[in-house]
Amino acid sequence: MPDYRLTHGVTDRRGNTLLAAGTRLTRRVMESLSSGQTTAIKTCRLLEYRQIRSDLLGFFAAAPYDLIFQETRRQEELLTIAGDVDLPEPVLESLYHFRELDFYTYRHTLLVFALSILIARELIDDRAALLQEVMAGPTHDIGKLCVPHEILAKGKPLNQAEHAHIRHHALAGYVLLSYYFQDPGILAAEVARDHHERRDGSGYPLGISIDNLMIDIVMVSDVYDALISPRPYRPVSYDNRTALEEITRQADAGTISETVARVLVALNRQTQPHFSRCVVSTECRGVPPSKNVYGLIETND
Ligand SMILES: [Fe+2]
Ligand SMILES: [Fe+2]
């Protein structure tokens, strides 16, 4: 197992410390964490949990997602697949917690989940395998529970310490999901840990290339939603065309999966071509929004 070490502690939603800062996530540590709960954790259907289904339908209806999700048959198929997704109750409570605390993360979580289903169903034929994979979609950012809200909501460049705290959400998510699913090998935990890695090794937490289809799918869905949604550090979002150009540019540069990027572009076409027949232009005509402080680090502290 690669050498993962926590930069900050991991606490559950009630504030109980699961692992302290500095802990190395060895196989033994992860197995003991996952077997630490004596009773089985109840699960519940994601779409039947409180207002999640109606919130999701509201997000589908609003621009720019209405272009992708409004086609009735596509939306019905998506809801049928999503309707089979069960999650441990504490995980659902945690997701719902964002609804009050950080609505951006709540909306982002559900839209990345929905996008990842649409992309996965183009690439995975077997229904049982598809369900196993998409179960890992809605929890990729759950580790943000362990990042102070003032950092998540900060509209100015972050300092080095705040950046490190944000990055902590990847390993924090891995720990939380291993604990709640009582299984350190579950795909959802791996996706949470690795969705900020990049194919050319430029990501985090380890800066390694990971060969895993669902991680590739969540990675692309995550970047796309981040571009087309307003963020604290960039109040004006990318328009859809410019966002897709940026996704194509990143795929060409080898940081994200070219196949997954192509599926996303095909989903955005009115004519709904199969992704293998979708011609993707590398021409960039869109203009990214100004006032973007993403990735900027304060140097005066
Ligand atoms: Fe993330
Ligand atoms: Fe994310």
Side-chain angles (χ1 to χ4, degrees):
M1 181 153 165
D3 190 15
Y4 292 105
R5 191 184 292 267
L6 292 176
T7 54
H8 300 76
V10 179
T11 52
D12 68 10
R13 196 172 73 72
R14 297 174 207 289
N16 303 312
T17 299
L18 299 181
L19 293 176
T23 304
R24 283 186 61 215
L25 304 182
T26 61
R27 196 178 303 274
R28 200 169 56 80
V29 166
M30 294 309 292
E31 279 171 2
S32 120
L33 174 85
S34 308
S35 57
Q37 301 186 80
T38 45
T39 49
I41 294 181
K42 257 178 68 184
T43 62
C44 177
R45 291 267 150 102
L46 173 71
L47 289 194
E48 289 168 17
Y49 192 79
R50 302 180 70 178
Q51 293 181 57
I52 287 184
R53 185 187 174 93
S54 59
D55 286 341
L56 195 56
L57 292 175
F59 300 149
F60 290 168
Y65 277 113
D66 51 347
L67 179 66
I68 297 181
F69 291 112
Q70 275 316 90
E71 207 247 313
T72 315
R73 193 169 51 85
R74 185 182 274 176
Q75 196 177 122
E76 279 169 5
E77 282 176 27
L78 187 159
L79 290 172
T80 305
I81 298 165
D84 284 339
V85 170
D86 266 329
L87 291 174
E89 264 185 353
V91 170
L92 287 165
E93 278 171 25
S94 302
L95 293 181
Y96 215 74
H97 184 63
F98 285 118
R99 193 176 190 271
E100 273 89 53
L101 189 80
D102 178 4
F103 196 79
Y104 164 75
T105 297
Y106 174 73
R107 176 182 176 277
H108 169 74
T109 291
L110 292 180
L111 284 167
V112 167
F113 170 57
L115 274 175
S116 64
I117 290 177
L118 287 187
I119 296 172
R121 76 191 243 286
E122 298 292 327
L123 298 171
I124 303 169
D125 291 331
D126 180 75
R127 178 61 186 247
L130 176 63
L131 185 61
Q132 281 307 309
E133 299 284 315
V134 302
M135 287 231 331
T139 48
H140 74 285
D141 270 342
I142 198 168
K144 286 188 176 170
L145 280 174
C146 299
V147 180
H149 180 66
E150 351 26 298
I151 297 180
L152 293 176
K154 193 169 174 186
K156 294 191 203 136
L158 301 178
N159 61 38
Q160 298 276 10
E162 289 165 338
H163 246 280
H165 218 143
I166 289 258
R167 288 172 166 226
H168 170 60
H169 85 278
L171 287 185
Y174 174 54
V175 169
L176 285 169
L177 293 168
S178 299
Y179 176 71
Y180 285 133
F181 279 95
Q182 300 176 308
D183 176 5
I186 190 136
L187 180 62
E190 285 182 30
V191 167
R193 183 188 65 197
D194 297 335
H195 70 280
H196 286 285
E197 296 289 5
R198 291 293 179 261
R199 291 191 138 210
D200 60 356
S202 61
Y204 68 88
L206 285 188
I208 55 173
S209 177
I210 308 256
D211 185 17
N212 179 296
L213 178 62
M214 198 56 199
I215 290 169
D216 279 335
I217 291 173
V218 171
M219 198 185 290
V220 170
S221 308
D222 186 47
V223 173
Y224 175 67
D225 181 67
L227 289 170
I228 63 169
S229 305
R231 306 289 293 259
Y233 52 77
R234 193 201 54 232
V236 179
S237 52
Y238 278 61
D239 65 74
N240 200 36
R241 179 206 185 99
T242 312
L244 290 171
E245 286 177 356
E246 173 60 19
I247 292 283
T248 304
R249 190 194 65 72
Q250 291 191 21
D252 285 346
T255 60
I256 59 175
S257 159
E258 208 176 343
T259 305
V260 176
R262 184 181 286 268
V263 175
L264 178 66
V265 172
L267 286 171
N268 273 280
R269 293 269 160 89
Q270 295 276 13
T271 51
Q272 299 183 20
H274 186 264
F275 73 91
S276 61
R277 292 188 298 277
C278 180
V279 180
V280 180
S281 164
T282 51
E283 192 187 352
C284 287
R285 285 190 280 172
V287 182
S290 57
K291 297 196 176 128
N292 181 8
V293 298
Y294 181 69
L296 296 181
I297 297 176
E298 283 175 4
T299 51
N300 59 346
D301 66 331

